[in-house]
Every structure is written in structure tokens, then in C-alpha cells.
């Protein structure tokens, strides 16, 4: 690795650590640790949300997927972008008005029972672990490519860094790291996109015509079917992507970092613009990698294609641009995993320890200690899981996390806000059914089973689809509805109270 590469890495890591140091001086209470005291403005939180959302899956995974499979890879960009409309119009404002620190707070605004809070916390932790694996796999491959060190050492390095951010700086540090990373990521993406367009004389039509013959797929590169030949599987994946964002705990947690619902709504608008521009630019990243790097070299660096963007940067701008892009990707991963660790730790420390075990009778000092210990636990467990998932595409791994979020969390969120007859039985049924169905179908799917022995287990998959959302999401909604019909009658007064709170913010 060149000295310029070392400089970029040291500069970005040093900057984020300095921000963490400053934030640690202002993180003295549970509110400041979990939600930065609700003090972020709309634009700050909007950029931070975009930073949380534009993860290793977006930058490394999607670029690789488009480079190797063309239009099929772009499905991820479409799904991630459209998902923000669901967040903006259905979830953002009611969630901010009803919640405090976590998703479970929002649900228990209507059903104040330990079993509901506990199930919501478990669902949060499972989703966080799936998402964390994706980020750590991306980080491991990136650092392995750049530094030539072993994959497990790279994963361990990222794990230690992310834990430092959360332990000392909490949400304030995580938010500012996200903001810095989002700005750097957009700069890097724009630079590469412009350089790719220069190669095609700034003629997009010429670029598309060139791509018809630039890959082994031929003209099939620009139409669906290069990877997802099964239309049902494609539809299932899109359901997960479009509906999953509204159930992702680390994204939902961001709406508690602002003072009111109006600011939460403006945050999503800012985030949507940034995310939208980025996902349009992923076309240039993917096409550029396919045309100027080649699928053979991309697969040679990483079987899942996760190193396509850094290799494109090297092809277009030499080692200097590659070093900058790798450093930005590293910052991207560090920022996202810090947010994930924080949301997982909050679910354990606030919901399980503070509200269930301690029954709400917990001091600020006890809750802060529990949150920091939980952060270490989430980080260690995620690192262990990531060590066995090295060959999986990070965009695909994230799509599974989206599937679980859409199946277990989204039904209970929507029913809590909008379904008058929803009750405790329905809430438990929706979360458990959605979570268990998604997990079981993933375990018996082609992701883990393959007759050729290229998956984790050798054998025939019992479930044919790679993403089970088309089954598990309706199962979650159906279970919530049936549970509400067979359970005790819902509290009409409580529903009226929740409706007023959700729409006005009045406490």
C-alpha cells in the first residue's frame, strides 16, 4: 500500500476518532447516548440517515452486482430508493411521536406489556446481526485487498473501531461520523461517475450501446434475467427491499434524534434526495467496472464482486483514487456498523435490561453501563458470524436483513398506528410469525444449501427462493390480523389516545 493510501486511511480514521472524542464529552445521560438528546436538525439528521443507509451493500455490493449482472444488479438500487417513500408517508412521523429510544417504545405506547417489548427487542437484535455480517464481510474484503492482511484480521480491526465509536461517543458521535462519511462517499461516487462518463464522451446512449458487447452476457446484460431468472424470486427480493427499510431498527432509531415529527419528516426528505442521487450514480459505478475492469478481474479479487468499485477507481485514477475510495468505503462501513451496534445495544440495555428486568427502575449510570456492555456483546457476536460469510455478496446479505425487518417489524408498526382492532395477541403473533418464517425459510433456502457444494451446506434446498419475503411478509401481516380476531378485545380508548399522539405529537 502506498504512502498516499496510508495517509487517506489515517486521516479519515483520525477525523472520526476526534469527533468521537468531542462527542464523548457531551454524552452523559441515556438520552444523549441513545438519541443525542434529540438535538439534531433536519439537515443533519437527513445526511446522517443517508449515511446510515448508504452502507457497504450500497457502495460495494451494488456496484459489484451491476458490474457482474447488469440490470439485475440495479434491482437493489431501485428497491432501496423506493423504500424511502414508505418511510416518508407511513412511518416517520407517527414513529417519532410515539417512540422514545427504540422501536419497542413505539409499540408499547399502545401495548405496555413485557412480552411485546421483549419480542420487539429480540427482532431488533436479529436484524442488526444480519446487517452487521454484511458490513463486516465488506470491510474484511476491502482491507484484505488493500493491505494484504488476512480476512479475519481485517474483520477484527473494524470490529474494534466500531466498538470504540459507540462506547465513548454514543449517538452523537455515530451521527457525526455518518455525516462525514456520507459527504465523502458522495464526493468519491461523483468523481468516479464523471470519469466513467468521460470515457463515453459524456454520452449516456453511447455508454448503453457499448455495454451490449462489453460483458459475457451480451445484450442480455441490459435486461432482466442475467442473475434472477426466476421472476417470483425477483419479486420476493423487491418486496423485501421496498418494505424492509420501514422496519430497520438502526434507521427507525434516527427519528428519535430530532426534536419533533416535523423535523423527522424533513430529515427523510433530505435523505431521499441524497440517496436518490447516489443510487442513480451506481449505474456508472457498475457499468464502468464491467467495461474497464472486467468480470474476470472483479471475481478474482472477490468472488461476490464486492471489490468492483475500488478496482474501477484504480483503473480510472490509479492508486491515489483507489486509496481514497477504499478509505471512504472503510469509513462507510465503520459508520454503519457503529449505528447498528448502537441500535442492538439499545434494544438490550433499554428494553430488555431497563424495562423488563429492572421494570423501569434503573438509574442513568446503570443503563449506560448496560448499553456499553451490550455494545461489546453485539460486536463480538457479529464478528464471529462474519468470519463464516466471506464469500457472500454484501448487497444480498443486506436484502435478507430487509426481509426480516419487513416480515417481523413492519406489520406490527402499521397495525399499531392504523388498525383499531389490533391487540396484544395480534402484536405477538405478527412479530413471532414474521421473524420465525423468514429465518426458517432462509435456513432451508439455496443461500445455505447447494448440490454443487458451493454454499455453506451440500444438498438440495427445501425452499426454492433465495429471498423468502413473498411468503414471510404476508405471513406476518396475516398472523397479526388473525391474532387480533382471536385475542382479547382491543382497548378503544388506548387506540384513540395513540391515534392522537401519532398524528399530533401531543403527550
Amino acid at each position: 500500500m502506498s504512502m498516499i493510501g496510508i495517509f487517506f486511511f489515517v486521516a479519515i480514521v483520525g477525523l472520526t476518532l476526534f469527533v468521537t472524542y468531542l462527542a464523548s464529552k457531551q454524552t452523559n445521560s441515556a438520552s444523549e447516548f441513545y438519541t443525542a438528546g434529540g438535538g439534531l436538525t433536519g439537515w443533519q439528521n437527513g445526511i446522517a440517515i443517508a449515511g446510515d443507509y448508504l452502507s457497504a451493500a450500497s457502495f460495494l455490493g451494488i456496484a459489484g452486482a451491476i458490474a457482474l449482472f447488469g440490470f439485475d444488479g440495479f434491482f437493489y438500487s431501485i428497491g432501496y430508493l423506493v423504500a424511502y417513500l414508505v418511510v416518508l408517508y407511513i412511518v416517520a412521523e407517527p414513529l417519532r411521536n410515539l417512540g422514545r429510544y427504540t422501536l419497542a417504545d413505539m409499540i408499547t405506547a399502545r401495548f405496555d406489556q413485557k412480552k411485546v417489548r421483549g419480542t420487539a427487542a429480540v427482532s431488533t437484535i436479529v436484524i442488526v446481526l444480519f446487517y452487521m455480517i454484511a458490513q463486516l464481510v465488506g470491510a474484511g474484503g476491502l482491507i484484505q485487498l488493500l493491505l494484504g492482511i488476512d480476512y479475519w484480521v481485517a474483520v477484527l480491526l473494524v470490529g474494534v473501531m466500531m466498538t470504540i465509536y459507540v462506547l465513548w461517543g454514543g449517538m452523537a458521535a455515530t451521527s457525526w461520523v455518518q455525516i462525514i462519511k456520507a459527504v465523502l462517499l458522495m464526493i468519491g461516487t461523483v468523481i468516479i461517475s464523471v470519469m466513467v462518463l468521460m470515457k463515453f464522451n459524456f454520452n449516456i446512449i453511447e455508454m448503453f450501446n457499448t455495454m451490449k458487447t462489453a460483458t459475457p452476457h451480451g445484450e442480455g446484460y441490459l435486461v432482466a434475467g442475467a442473475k434472477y431468472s426466476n421472476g417470483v424470486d425477483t419479486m420476493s427480493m423487491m418486496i423485501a427491499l421496498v418494505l424492509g427499510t420501514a422496519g430497520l431498527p438502526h434507521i427507525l432509531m434516527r427519528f428519535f434524534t430530532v426534536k419533533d415529527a416535523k423535523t423527522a419528516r424533513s430529515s427523510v426528505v433530505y435523505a431521499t434526495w441524497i440517496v436518490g442521487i447516489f443510487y442513480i450514480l451506481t449505474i456508472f459505478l457498475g457499468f464502468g467496472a464491467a467495461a474497464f475492469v472486467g468480470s474476470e478481474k472483479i471475481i478474482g479479487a472477490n468472488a461476490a464482486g464486492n471489490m468492483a468499485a475500488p478496482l474501477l477507481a484504480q483503473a480510472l485514477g490509479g492508486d491515489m483514487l483507489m486509496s481514497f475510495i477504499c478509505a471512504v468505503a472503510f469509513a462507510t462501513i465503520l459508520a454503519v456498523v457503529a449505528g447498528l451496534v448502537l441500535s442492538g445495544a439499545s434494544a438490550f440495555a433499554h428494553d430488555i435490561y431497563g424495562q423488563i428486568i429492572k421494570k423501569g427502575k434503573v438509574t442513568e449510570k446503570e443503563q449506560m453501563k448496560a448499553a456499553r456492555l451490550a455494545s461489546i456483546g453485539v460486536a463480538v457476536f457479529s464478528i464471529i458470524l462474519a468470519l463464516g460469510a466471506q464469500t457472500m455478496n454484501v448487497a444480498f446479505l443486506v436484502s435478507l436483513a430487509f426481509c426480516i425487518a419487513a416480515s417481523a417489524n413492519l406489520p406490527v408498526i402499521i397495525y399499531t398506528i392504523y388498525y383499531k382492532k389490533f391487540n396484544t395477541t395480534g402484536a405477538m403473533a405478527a412479530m413471532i410469525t414474521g421473524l420465525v418464517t423468514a429465518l426458517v425459510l432462509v435456513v432451508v433456502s439455496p443461500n445455505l444449501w447447494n448440490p454443487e457444494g458451493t454454499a455453506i451446506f451440500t444438498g438440495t434446498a427445501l425452499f426454492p427462493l433465495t429471498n423468502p419475503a413473498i411468503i414471510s411478509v404476508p405471513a406476518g401481516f396475516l398472523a397479526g390480523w388473525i391474532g387480533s380476531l382471536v385475542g382479547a378485545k382491543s382497548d378503544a380508548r388506548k387506540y384513540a389516545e395513540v391515534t392522537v399522539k401519532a398524528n399530533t405529537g401531543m403527550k
Side-chain angles (χ1 to χ4, degrees):
M1 183 166 142
S2 64
M3 289 302 296
I4 195 99
I6 295 174
F7 168 77
F8 281 131
F9 263 82
V10 172
I12 289 177
V13 171
L15 177 61
T16 54
L17 285 175
F18 179 66
V19 167
T20 302
Y21 170 74
L22 295 178
S24 67
K25 294 180 175 296
Q26 302 174 3
T27 305
N28 303 308
S29 66
S31 174
E32 289 165 345
F33 185 85
Y34 292 136
T35 63
L40 295 183
T41 63
W43 71 265
Q44 289 171 343
N45 197 44
I47 298 176
I49 290 174
D52 240 335
Y53 202 56
L54 300 179
S55 62
S58 298
F59 189 52
L60 300 178
I62 293 178
I66 294 176
L68 297 179
F69 304 108
F71 187 84
D72 281 11
F74 190 58
F75 275 132
Y76 290 106
S77 293
I78 298 169
Y80 289 151
L81 179 56
V82 174
Y84 257 99
L85 298 178
V86 180
V87 178
L88 177 61
Y89 290 111
I90 298 177
V91 173
E93 186 173 346
L95 183 78
R96 174 60 188 84
N97 287 334
L98 294 174
R100 186 184 177 197
Y101 296 147
T102 65
L103 171 63
D105 283 338
M106 177 262 187
I107 298 171
T108 53
R110 185 169 175 185
F111 311 111
D112 191 13
Q113 294 192 26
K114 289 183 180 179
K115 59 184 180 181
V116 175
R117 183 180 289 275
T119 305
V122 169
S123 174
T124 292
I125 293 170
V126 170
I127 294 166
V128 163
L129 290 175
F130 263 91
Y131 215 115
M132 282 279 286
I133 294 171
Q135 307 310 310
L136 292 175
V137 167
L142 182 72
I143 306 304
Q144 185 181 28
L145 173 70
L146 202 63
L147 301 182
I149 60 178
D150 289 340
Y151 172 79
W152 71 268
V153 177
V155 170
L156 190 62
L157 174 66
V158 176
V160 171
M161 288 290 297
M162 71 187 182
T163 308
I164 289 173
Y165 291 151
V166 176
L167 286 183
W168 279 278
M171 179 58 85
T174 301
S175 297
W176 280 104
V177 169
Q178 296 285 17
I179 291 170
I180 294 169
K181 155 268 166 115
V183 172
L184 291 174
L185 181 61
M186 288 302 296
I187 290 173
T189 304
V190 169
I191 290 173
I192 296 178
S193 298
V194 171
M195 294 180 77
V196 169
L197 277 172
M198 285 176 62
K199 292 286 187 177
F200 294 107
N201 302 313
F202 292 97
N203 188 328
I204 294 179
I205 294 177
E206 180 184 332
M207 179 181 72
F208 275 86
N209 287 333
T210 301
M211 296 314 297
K212 291 179 180 179
T213 57
T215 73
H217 298 292
E219 293 191 6
Y221 183 79
L222 298 178
V223 296
K227 182 177 182 180
Y228 300 110
S229 56
N230 185 332
V232 176
D233 204 1
T234 305
M235 186 183 301
S236 186
M237 182 187 71
M238 293 302 291
I239 290 172
L241 298 182
V242 171
L243 299 181
T245 301
L248 290 175
H250 68 294
I251 298 294
L252 298 179
M253 195 174 178
R254 289 231 145 264
F255 297 123
F256 304 132
T257 63
V258 294
K259 62 181 179 178
D260 54 32
K262 180 180 178 182
T263 311
R265 205 162 50 244
S266 71
S267 298
V268 182
V269 174
Y270 280 110
T272 303
W273 275 104
I274 297 170
V275 169
I277 293 170
F278 175 85
Y279 283 130
I280 290 173
L281 296 180
T282 57
I283 298 174
F284 304 112
L285 297 181
F287 281 11
F292 308 121
V293 178
S295 58
E296 186 175 338
K297 187 174 180 180
I298 293 171
I299 295 172
N302 180 273
N306 294 326
M307 295 302 106
L311 290 173
L312 174 62
Q314 184 180 42
L316 297 177
D319 289 341
M320 182 173 179
L321 182 58
M322 179 190 180
S323 298
F324 174 71
I325 292 301
C326 286
V328 170
F330 185 62
T332 294
I333 293 165
L334 286 177
V336 172
V337 293
L340 289 164
V341 169
L342 186 59
S343 61
S346 300
F348 179 84
H350 175 66
D351 295 323
I352 296 176
Y353 175 76
Q355 299 299 317
I356 297 176
I357 297 176
K358 286 290 189 175
K359 301 177 181 178
K361 298 175 182 178
V362 58
T363 64
E364 291 280 345
K365 186 176 181 180
E366 289 174 334
Q367 194 165 175
M368 291 282 285
K369 182 180 179 181
R372 288 185 167 122
L373 289 174
S375 299
I376 295 173
V378 170
V380 170
F381 194 52
S382 300
I383 290 170
I384 293 172
L385 292 176
L387 293 176
Q390 182 178 0
T391 60
M392 293 188 177
N393 181 281
V394 290
F396 167 73
L397 284 170
V398 166
S399 73
L400 296 182
F402 273 65
C403 173
I404 297 171
S407 305
N409 288 354
L410 185 61
V412 76
I413 291 173
I414 291 179
Y415 281 151
T416 297
I417 301 169
Y418 302 107
Y419 185 28
K420 185 176 182 179
K421 296 181 179 179
F422 198 44
N423 54 29
T424 303
T425 305
M428 292 295 296
M431 287 188 287
I432 293 174
T433 302
L435 179 63
V436 172
T437 303
L439 288 176
V440 169
L441 292 181
V442 166
V443 169
V444 297
S445 72
N447 307 306
L448 300 183
W449 296 88
N450 189 307
E452 288 80 33
T454 54
I456 295 177
F457 303 111
T458 301
T460 303
L462 298 178
F463 182 69
L465 305 181
T466 58
N467 195 304
I470 198 167
I471 302 294
S472 58
V473 174
F477 277 99
L478 184 62
W481 177 65
I482 294 174
S484 298
L485 294 180
V486 301
K489 188 177 180 181
S490 62
D491 187 338
R493 179 178 294 183
K494 191 68 176 178
Y495 174 70
E497 179 184 322
V498 165
T499 301
V500 172
K501 285 183 179 180
N503 288 285
T504 66
M506 294 174 60
K507 302 299 183 182

